[in-house]
Amino acid sequence: MAVPDTLHHWTAEQLAELPVKGDFRLRGLEMTRLETFTDAAFAFAVTLLVISVDDVPGSYEEFMEALKQIPAFVGCFLQLMLFWWGHHSWSRRYGLEDGLSMVVSLTLVAAVLVYIYPLRVIFGAFFANASGGLLSPPFDLVVEEIGVLFVVFGAGFSALAALLAILYLIAYTRREPLGLNRLEIFHTRSDVLVWSVVAATGLVSMSAALLLPDELSAAAGFVYWSLAISMPAFGFWVRRMRDRIE
């Protein structure tokens, strides 16, 4: 049985009535079932990050121990929101709910729910090390385990970014039925590129964790700090190219 075509073909009259945010006409103002399910999955992932997963602290010592997990929780939350915002922006701009978009989005959901575990461990270990042991680590790690941890974390990080790049690529291939104008096409291609760079950063970190000796494997984490340079530089390039299009 053939899969029905659920791709909406926008007319010029329909596009003219849409609200505009930035350079995009918002085709997905009404939440689709796909976006609703994806948002619920991200919300569930956040519940796995709460300070006290098992129960409410039963003593002052347990309460203080739970408070020590707050920095790691905030770090995990902010990173999850980075990927959530990528999907949210994609949904609002394009309003896609065709078969391929659904498959990729559901794969993203599965990846998020798996990624939450190495995410908690990485941020817990980072803040424990940065605080000189004042903040509690998720569990004790030996040197030989750090490299494996960064490989697993990098795999999840790269997978989420790559899936978002694919979603924006799908939107680009649907540019004609979506009625994308020149600026919208430019930004869509730029988003494919930026998420690809994010995914590549995770792959570089994975490679470093695999290739470096055990005593240096923690250096793989510093690869992610390169995003503090590459992302602003990419944003500057996008602004310059956008001005040329206008």
Side-chain angles (χ1 to χ4, degrees):
M1 180 181 294
V3 178
D5 182 11
T6 58
L7 181 61
H8 181 74
H9 293 250
W10 291 86
T11 65
E13 292 75 15
Q14 291 173 327
L15 290 170
E17 296 177 356
L18 293 176
V20 179
K21 183 177 180 180
D23 293 325
F24 265 91
R25 293 164 292 181
L26 302 181
R27 297 160 180 80
L29 279 180
E30 295 184 6
M31 290 187 67
T32 64
R33 294 179 66 185
L34 178 61
E35 184 185 5
T36 302
F37 180 76
T38 305
D39 285 354
F42 271 95
F44 177 70
V46 170
T47 64
L48 299 177
L49 297 175
V50 292
I51 298 173
S52 211
V53 176
D54 298 326
D55 51 20
V56 176
S59 65
Y60 178 79
E61 290 74 17
E62 291 180 2
F63 173 71
M64 294 304 295
E65 192 65 26
L67 289 181
K68 293 179 181 181
Q69 299 178 36
I70 290 178
F73 166 77
V74 172
C76 294
F77 177 80
L78 291 176
Q79 186 161 121
L80 277 182
M81 289 304 98
L82 169 70
F83 294 115
W84 172 82
W85 181 254
H87 191 274
H88 172 77
S89 297
W90 174 84
S91 298
R92 285 289 176 266
R93 290 175 177 181
Y94 311 108
L96 288 172
E97 200 177 21
D98 59 292
L100 183 56
S101 298
M102 186 174 298
V103 169
V104 177
S105 292
L106 293 178
T107 305
L108 179 72
V109 167
V112 165
L113 296 178
V114 174
Y115 177 65
I116 196 70
Y117 298 107
L119 180 66
R120 288 184 63 186
V121 175
I122 281 287
F123 273 94
F126 169 77
F127 282 104
N129 183 68
S131 65
L134 177 64
L135 301 178
S136 302
F139 51 80
D140 293 330
L141 286 168
V142 298
V143 174
E144 294 77 11
E145 297 169 341
I146 295 176
V148 176
L149 182 59
F150 272 111
V151 170
V152 175
F153 176 82
F157 185 90
S158 297
L160 290 175
L163 288 166
L164 286 170
I166 292 171
L167 285 173
Y168 282 96
L169 182 60
I170 292 171
Y172 177 73
T173 62
R174 308 284 199 264
R175 59 190 179 277
E176 290 187 7
L178 287 173
L180 299 183
N181 59 30
R182 290 181 63 197
L183 274 176
E184 290 171 331
I185 290 174
F186 167 73
H187 284 299
T188 302
R189 293 173 64 181
S190 297
D191 284 328
V192 173
L193 181 56
V194 71
W195 285 112
S196 298
V197 170
V198 174
T201 303
L203 291 176
V204 172
S205 177
M206 282 180 60
S207 301
L210 287 169
L211 297 175
L212 290 173
D214 290 338
E215 60 272 15
L216 296 177
S217 59
F222 290 102
V223 174
Y224 295 101
W225 290 103
S226 67
L227 291 171
I229 299 174
S230 61
M231 291 299 99
F234 186 83
F236 176 77
W237 176 82
V238 167
R239 290 189 294 272
R240 289 285 301 271
M241 295 302 295
R242 179 195 177 281
D243 292 341
R244 294 183 183 181
I245 294 175
E246 288 189 328

